[in-house]
């Protein structure tokens, strides 16, 4: 779970690499490094963020038109400058950057130690670069061949870029299990990165490496591509559909705030061309050919992690309510380790913003081996999960850069609503007027989100009041229970305040013991759903002096009379409430975190895509 960038061409590599790392910093930010290839390799690395690398390299020789760079999220070895990438081989003739994990690194390290190799770091990556050097020495192979042969001895995941002083006009790149994109520049140059963000301002023509692809990049020559099994391949390039503005903060203080405010558009984009109230239709081109298969499914299993798992829980409610298909929602990380019963009558839906989450990927691999049909709901086009599934529906929320997921969640819920509506329509499990009013209301959701965003000033005041709380409870019922979970996760991850999400009625089975005057409790108490029940739950809280922050339907007076703070959201259909109720909770977490001085876009210990187990 790191970001890697490489460049080879006629321009100065250093500024391109640093800018690229800054664009990828959301993938990891505990150390960073860069290596530039001239007659020798100049290598610089530091603990900390890319800005620290920039300070470290000031006044140093960073010239060169070939280079590799890395921003790290530590797996093997603590985050310090020794363990930072790039890593040298023993002779310092070869340097490597790596995203992934070499699982059999201990046995390879043992083998190399016996041959007299010495290691500077605790990383699995250094083992790989030493192995490449060993293969090169033993067989007198080219760099490309040495990397290829070495990769055949490796178990695990990798996206790598390798340079060598012996062949100072090449960069060798390869991938398996971790993403890697090569941008083909118009001046005979190549841009390499973990995703397209560092590439898009230079070129839109890209090749996404497949698993076990290995490529040799040389300025002014065509991309030379093989598999690590030595089969020659033709690189099929694609045109990037990405706008550079989407990668900038656009006047907002943080990416997270920008992304929260983008939700009227991102929700609209996730529905665009797929829904029409005028024609009374929902159409999903990506899964059209599989609709019969889905309708015949015994059950649907949604696999995901974190926020995407919460979207899956909303999806369960939607699918069961609208299409009457049984749904199970699984954590990718648990599912893969418990020998689940899956047959070819099952449909597995993987939900992932990044499309790179290792646990979700492993879960769908398992389901594929057991014969299930796999569908993906991913945000990143061309990502590993999007490619590993049989079909899918992209969320089209645009790049999400803040580590805390916001607009991706509402886009996932929108797409799940569309699928549930489509299946319900085909299965005739939704009555025509309900179907029509849901479509109509869904089309209006972006306007209503716009309205919810206007509550930000009030939310800031609430944030100021509760920013020093040590614990929070979030309560919701029915389809709003996952919203409570999501609200609690947002607060935990960016403000480091302990928070728990609970189904409101479960409170009396334990968590009620926590409630006193120091406990803020966020309750989703909209008119739609189990309103009377939620009102009783609020009374139970107030009887114990808890401070209630209630998200209510516009015009509500009952809850307003009981709660300490109320945030009004527009009325909507019960099934669509999560699309509105989530937004105040995102804003509350954001403002609390800012007031506590936390790094909102890069919370400690986290990274945007978790590509390790
Ligand atoms: C929370 C968050 C994480 C991700 C999780 C899954 O704000 O960002 O919990 O939701 O790591 O990531 P994706 O959706 O990329 O598979």
């Amino acid at each position: 779970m790191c970001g890697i960038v490489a460049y080879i061409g006629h321009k100065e590599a250093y500024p391109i690499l640093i800018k690229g790392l800054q664009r990828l910093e959301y993938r990891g930010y505990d150390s960073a490094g860069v290596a530039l290839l001239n007659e020798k390799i100049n290598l610089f690395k530091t603990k900390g963020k890319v800005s620290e690398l920039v300070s470290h390299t000031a006044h140093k020789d960073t010239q060169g038109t070939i280079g590799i760079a890395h921003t790290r999220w530590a797996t093997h070895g603590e985050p310090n400058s020794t363990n930072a990438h790039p890593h040298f081989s023993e002779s310092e003739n070869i340097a490597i950057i790596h995203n992934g994990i070499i699982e059999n690194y201990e046995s390879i390290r043992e083998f190399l130690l016996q041959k007299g190799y010495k290691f500077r770091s605790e990383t699995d990556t250094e083992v790989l670069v030493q192995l490449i050097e060993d293969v090169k020495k033993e067989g007198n192979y080219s760099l490309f061949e040495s990397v290829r042969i070495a990769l055949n001895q490796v178990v695990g995941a990798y996206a790598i870029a390798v340079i060598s002083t012996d062949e100072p006009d090449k960069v060798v790149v390869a991938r398996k299990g971790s993403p890697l994109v090569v941008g083909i520049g118009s001046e005979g140059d190549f841009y390499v990165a973990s995703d397209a963000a560092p590439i898009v301002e230079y070129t839109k023509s890209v090749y996404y490496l497949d698993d076990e692809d290995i490529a040799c990049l040389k300025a002014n020559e065509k991309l030379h591509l093989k598999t690590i099994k030595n089969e020659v391949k033709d690189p099929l390039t694609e045109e990037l559909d990405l706008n550079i503005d989407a990668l900038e903060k656009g006047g907002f203080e943080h990416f997270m705030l920008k992304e929260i405010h983008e939700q009227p558009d991102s929700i609209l984009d996730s529905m665009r061309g797929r829904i029409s109230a005028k024609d009374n239709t929902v159409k999903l081109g990506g899964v059209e050919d599989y609709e019969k298969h889905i309708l015949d499914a015994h059950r649907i299993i949604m696999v995901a992690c974190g926020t995407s798992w919460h979207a899956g829980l909303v999806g369960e409610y939607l699918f069961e309510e609208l299409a009457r298909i049984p749904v199970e929602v699984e954590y990718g990380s648990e599912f893969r380790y418990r020998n689940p019963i899956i047959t070819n009558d099952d449909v597995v839906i993987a939900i992932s913003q990044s499309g790179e989450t290792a646990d979700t990927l492993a879960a769908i691999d398992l389901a594929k081996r057991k014969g299930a049909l796999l569908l993906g709901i991913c945000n990143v086009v061309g990502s590993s999960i999007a490619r590993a599934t049989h079909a899918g529906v992209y969320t089209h929320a645009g790049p999400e850069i803040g580590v805390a997921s916001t607009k991706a969640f509402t886009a996932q819920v929108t797409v799940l609503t569309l699928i549930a509506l489509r299946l319900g329509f085909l299965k005739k499990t939704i009555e025509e007027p309900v179907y029509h009013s849901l479509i109509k209301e869904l089309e209006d959701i972006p306007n209503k989100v716009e309205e919810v965003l206007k509550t930000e000033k009030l939310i800031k005041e609430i944030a100021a009041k509760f920013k020093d709380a040590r614990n929070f409870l979030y309560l919701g019922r029915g389809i709003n229970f996952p919203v409570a979970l999501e609200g609690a996760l947002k607060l935990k991850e960016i403000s480091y305040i302990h928070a728990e999400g609970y189904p409101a009625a479960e409170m009396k089975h334990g968590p009620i013991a926590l409630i006193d005057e120091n406990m803020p409790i966020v309750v989703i108490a909209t008119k739609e759903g189990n309103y009377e029940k939620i009102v009783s739950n609020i009374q139970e809280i107030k009887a114990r002096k808890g401070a209630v922050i209630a998200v209510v339907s516009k015009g509500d007076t009952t809850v307003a009379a009981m709660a300490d703070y109320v945030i009004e959201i527009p009325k909507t259909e019960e099934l669509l409430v999560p699309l509105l109720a989530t937004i105040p909770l995102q804003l509350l977490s954001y403002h609390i975190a800012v007031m506590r001085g936390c790094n909102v876009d890069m919370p400690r210990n986290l990274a945007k895509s978790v590509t390790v187990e």
Side-chain angles (χ1 to χ4, degrees), residues 30 84 111 141 242 247 321 335 432 435 512 530 558 585 595:
D30 56 39
F111 161 79
Y141 294 116
L242 183 63
L247 305 172
E321 181 68 25
F335 184 72
E432 169 61 31
Y435 177 71
I512 198 162
N530 299 305
T558 314
L585 310 194
M595 287 172 193

Side-chain angles (χ1 to χ4, degrees), residues 98 114 218-219:
H98 169 217
Q114 276 171 21
K218 199 169 168 192

Side-chain angles (χ1 to χ4, degrees), residues 451-519:
E451 228 179 289
V452 180
L453 289 168
K454 292 188 186 138
T455 59
E456 186 166 6
K457 192 164 164 280
L458 164 68
I459 292 173
K460 246 173 133 167
E461 285 163 26
I462 301 173
K465 183 89 190 143
F466 293 103
K467 69 175 177 22
D468 297 318
R470 298 189 54 195
N471 299 287
F472 262 77
L473 262 184
Y474 285 74
L475 304 176
R477 298 186 75 127
I479 199 164
N480 290 320
F481 162 51
V483 176
L485 290 176
E486 177 57 10
L489 177 62
K490 284 295 85 93
L491 188 71
K492 275 185 271 211
E493 65 183 335
I494 60 166
S495 72
Y496 319 138
I497 296 175
H498 170 248
E500 281 192 62
Y502 252 89
E506 269 297 300
M507 183 185 65
K508 57 185 174 295
H509 298 286
I512 198 162
L514 294 167
I515 297 176
D516 61 17
E517 61 280 9
N518 298 318
M519 174 71 93

Side-chain angles (χ1 to χ4, degrees), residues 313-370:
L313 292 178
V314 178
E316 175 180 25
Y317 204 94
L318 291 163
F319 277 49
E320 297 199 345
E321 181 68 25
L322 296 176
R324 308 302 298 149
I325 304 175
V327 175
E328 284 168 33
V329 188
E330 299 271 0
Y331 285 116
S333 53
E334 288 296 315
F335 184 72
R336 58 183 295 199
Y337 288 117
R338 65 163 176 76
N339 194 15
I341 300 161
I342 310 166
T343 70
N344 48 13
D345 292 320
D346 292 324
V347 172
V348 172
I349 303 185
I351 309 169
S352 174
Q353 186 287 128
S354 62
E356 302 295 344
T357 300
D359 287 321
T360 309
L361 247 179
I364 58 171
D365 261 4
L366 174 77
K368 196 182 236 173
R369 276 184 267 123
K370 298 198 178 221

Side-chain angles (χ1 to χ4, degrees), residues 103-218:
E103 285 167 16
N104 60 340
Y105 84 103
E106 281 189 34
S107 60
I108 300 174
R109 186 181 159 104
E110 204 45 50
F111 161 79
L112 292 168
L113 280 171
Q114 276 171 21
K115 289 184 90 173
Y117 282 86
K118 293 191 182 56
F119 291 86
R120 304 171 179 93
S121 78
E122 301 156 71
T123 64
D124 51 337
T125 306
E126 191 185 6
V127 172
L128 177 57
V129 72
Q130 301 276 43
L131 179 66
I132 293 169
E133 178 151 289
D134 187 61
V135 170
K136 195 166 185 318
K137 265 201 227 146
E138 291 291 329
N140 200 19
Y141 294 116
S142 67
L143 179 67
F144 184 85
E145 268 307 281
S146 311
V147 175
R148 193 187 68 73
I149 294 166
L151 289 179
N152 276 285
Q153 298 174 36
V154 153
V155 178
Y158 53 80
I160 54 168
V162 190
I163 51 176
S164 166
T165 48
D166 292 340
E167 294 172 57
D169 55 352
K170 287 182 192 127
V171 177
V172 175
V173 297
R175 91 153 243 180
K176 183 181 176 190
S178 299
L180 201 63
V181 195
V182 178
I184 294 122
S186 56
E187 298 169 37
D189 47 359
F190 294 99
Y191 303 81
V192 179
S194 300
D195 68 32
I199 296 176
V200 66
E201 63 190 280
Y202 306 106
T203 176
K204 293 224 160 180
S205 168
V206 293
Y207 174 69
Y208 286 92
L209 268 75
D210 282 323
D211 271 349
E212 304 208 331
D213 273 0
I214 173 166
C216 184
L217 312 176
K218 199 169 168 192

